[in-house]
Amino acid sequence: DTAVSQTPKYLVTQMGNDKSIKCEQNLGHDTMYWYKQDSKKFLKIMFSYNNKELIINETVPNRFSPKSPDKAHLNLHINSLELGDSAVYFCASSQVGKNYGYTFGSGTRLTVV
Amino acid sequence: QKEVEQNSGPLSVPEGAIASLNCTYSDRGSQSFFWYRQYSGKSPELIMFIYSNGDKEDGRFTAQLNKASQYVSLLIRDSQPSDSATYLCAVGASRMRFGAGTRLTVKP
């Protein structure tokens, strides 16, 4: 069983389109994250939800909107896609109080053309 | 100053040698430190975590932490070609910050 699963794995789309990425974890964790990894492999946190509540909202364009319907799911919707949004987006999860690091999903490679 | 800094490499070592990876961090209040391994095209995979000053060993891996110097390192003994990957240093628990990673190549 995949612990943290993301869909789709690859996403190629044109500038100006709107797209969504979905994430689900079956680890029973209460916190989920979105990270962006750019072409230089730098991982940067975007958002974090704890039990469906947004707790981290880094300096990210408001074209990006996360949503967490429940603690096992975290989605990312991106409006009006730009070339600079091309990156790999990773979902991750962890459990507050159990400081054993994050478990990452397999990533979604977004290419905006 | 970046929050977490690593030498980007690439670092190349022969098979069987010790690979030494270094990381410094800026937030003196940080309590949790992690090393992740990322193979090309794959997601980061946790290999070590350390919270206390000193050394922590797990198989061929040893993490070292010096909070006074704000320094974390990872030693890989008896390096294998399968250890060739990018190693990411990460700091913090609720808002984990990553370094840019050090690319390690182990040559047979």
Side-chain angles (χ1 to χ4, degrees), chain A residues 29-95:
Chain A
H29 289 168
D30 59 4
T31 306
M32 297 183 72
Y33 310 83
W34 280 114
Y35 276 82
K36 179 181 180 181
Q37 189 170 45
D38 60 26
S39 57
K40 295 185 178 180
K41 304 299 185 185
F42 185 63
L43 264 171
K44 185 174 180 182
I45 191 167
M46 301 173 68
F47 303 103
S48 174
Y49 272 78
N50 176 264
N51 281 321
K52 302 192 296 177
E53 181 181 349
L54 182 65
I55 57 171
I56 295 175
N57 186 350
E58 293 288 295
T59 307
V60 176
N62 57 16
R63 298 181 294 103
F64 291 78
S65 54
K67 281 193 180 160
S68 181
D70 56 60
K71 72 174 190 177
H73 295 84
L74 180 61
N75 303 323
L76 182 65
H77 187 76
I78 315 170
N79 289 324
S80 303
L81 279 155
E82 301 177 356
L83 293 176
D85 297 332
S86 296
V88 180
Y89 292 84
F90 285 103
C91 176
S93 71
S94 70
Q95 178 66 32

Side-chain angles (χ1 to χ4, degrees), chain A residues 9 31 33 35 37 40-45 48 55-58 90 94 98-107 109, chain B residues 2 4 31-34 36 38 40-46 49 51 86 88 92-101:
Chain A
K9 191 169 178 63
T31 306
Y33 310 83
Y35 276 82
Q37 189 170 45
K40 295 185 178 180
K41 304 299 185 185
F42 185 63
L43 264 171
K44 185 174 180 182
I45 191 167
S48 174
I55 57 171
I56 295 175
N57 186 350
E58 293 288 295
F90 285 103
S94 70
K98 294 196 183 289
N99 198 7
Y100 301 142
Y102 298 173
T103 302
F104 282 86
S106 57
R109 181 174 293 276
Chain B
K2 291 181 180 176
V4 182
Q31 299 293 322
S32 308
F33 307 88
F34 305 86
Y36 284 81
Q38 187 174 24
S40 181
K42 301 295 185 181
S43 59
E45 171 193 10
L46 180 68
F49 58 87
Y51 309 137
T86 297
L88 303 169
S94 60
R95 186 188 244 106
M96 193 175 290
R97 307 292 191 179
F98 285 80

Side-chain angles (χ1 to χ4, degrees), chain A residues 11-19 78-83 85-86 110-113:
Chain A
L11 190 51
V12 181
T13 188
Q14 291 186 326
M15 284 176 54
N17 283 350
D18 303 339
K19 290 293 178 185
I78 315 170
N79 289 324
S80 303
L81 279 155
E82 301 177 356
L83 293 176
D85 297 332
S86 296
L110 172 65
T111 302
V112 182
V113 297

